[in-house]
């Protein structure tokens, strides 16, 4: 008799616990049902990449001095720099430069430590390919600048949530040229300079 009552009590406890978990899950579902959808209809709508976005690397052949600093600072020694020594000018002459974006981790070390600023990060993130060998970009492919999302007439550009005006969570109804919530670094510096008290002038 007591064994049967224990089984009934255990079953009741498990039922209440299951109902509690189901209620917690449904509470999240009902909470999202009241929100407006913020789905981006890709590829007809695209988010504008954030500031300092680390996309595909852009390479300027004329600025490169073949110093191979990018190779030394790369965690996986990725850039391939092919050069020959010019005996007349006693300088390195760059012949070929390539980066395999199928292996690149987009850390940005090569861009940061390049002494001639011949490498830079772009906003391009659409690097899908059917063959992984197509991700190995040579100096010609690296020299092409990507098309900005805001300049593409076939795409509706939208800002990310962090760059929307204060109190706005739906980017569909806000133009991409609208001012974001926070201040830019140069605006913060101007505000600090304006709040400084004027320097006291002493009369001699």
């Amino acid at each position: 008799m007591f064994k049967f009552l224990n089984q009934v009590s255990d079953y009741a406890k498990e039922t209440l616990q299951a109902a509690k978990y189901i209620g917690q899950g449904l509470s999240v579902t009902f909470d999202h049902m009241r929100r407006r959808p913020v789905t981006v209809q890709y590829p007809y709508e695209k988010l504008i990449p954030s500031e300092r976005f680390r996309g595909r690397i852009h390479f300027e052949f004329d600025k490169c001095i073949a110093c191979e600093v990018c190779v030394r600072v790369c965690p996986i020694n990725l850039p391939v720099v092919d050069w020959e020594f010019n005996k007349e000018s006693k300088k390195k002459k760059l012949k070929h430069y390539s980066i395999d974006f199928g292996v690149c981790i987009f850390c940005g070390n090569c861009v940061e430590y390049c002494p001639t600023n011949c490498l830079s990060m772009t906003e391009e993130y659409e690097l899908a390919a059917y063959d992984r060998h197509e991700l190995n970009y040579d100096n010609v492919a690296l020299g092409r600048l990507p098309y900005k999302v805001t300049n593409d007439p076939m795409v509706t550009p939208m800002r990310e949530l962090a760059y929307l005006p204060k109190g706005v969570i739906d980017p569909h109804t806000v133009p991409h040229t609208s001012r974001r919530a926070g201040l830019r670094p140069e605006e913060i510096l101007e505000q600090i300079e304006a709040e400084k008290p004027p320097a006291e002038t002493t009369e001699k």
Side-chain angles (χ1 to χ4, degrees), residues 49-50 52-61 78 97-111 118-129 134-148:
S50 58
R52 301 178 67 181
F53 178 79
R54 288 189 257 184
R56 182 191 48 91
I57 296 172
H58 173 63
F59 174 71
E60 297 181 53
F61 189 88
L78 184 59
Y97 190 94
S98 65
I99 296 177
D100 189 358
F101 290 109
V103 186
C104 181
I105 60 175
F106 298 93
C107 63
N109 285 348
C110 57
V111 176
C118 68
L119 295 171
S120 59
M121 290 289 188
T122 65
E123 298 179 354
E124 186 177 357
Y125 54 86
E126 299 171 317
L127 299 174
E134 296 178 5
L135 296 174
N136 191 1
Y137 283 44
D138 60 358
N139 47 275
V140 177
L142 289 170
R144 299 192 186 103
L145 284 171
Y147 206 66
K148 287 185 172 292

Side-chain angles (χ1 to χ4, degrees), residues 2-14:
F2 292 105
K3 184 179 180 180
F4 175 74
L5 292 176
N6 288 334
Q7 290 177 349
V8 171
S9 63
D10 292 341
Y11 180 78
K13 290 179 181 178
E14 292 177 0

Side-chain angles (χ1 to χ4, degrees), residues 121-178:
M121 290 289 188
T122 65
E123 298 179 354
E124 186 177 357
Y125 54 86
E126 299 171 317
L127 299 174
Y130 289 104
D131 187 2
R132 66 177 60 190
H133 298 291
E134 296 178 5
L135 296 174
N136 191 1
Y137 283 44
D138 60 358
N139 47 275
V140 177
L142 289 170
R144 299 192 186 103
L145 284 171
Y147 206 66
K148 287 185 172 292
V149 177
T150 52
N151 295 337
D152 193 348
M154 303 298 292
V155 173
T156 303
M158 297 193 308
R159 289 192 175 275
E160 294 183 2
L161 183 62
Y163 295 93
L164 290 175
K166 187 176 181 179
V168 179
I169 61 172
D170 186 9
H172 294 83
T173 58
V174 180
H176 70 275
T177 55
S178 60

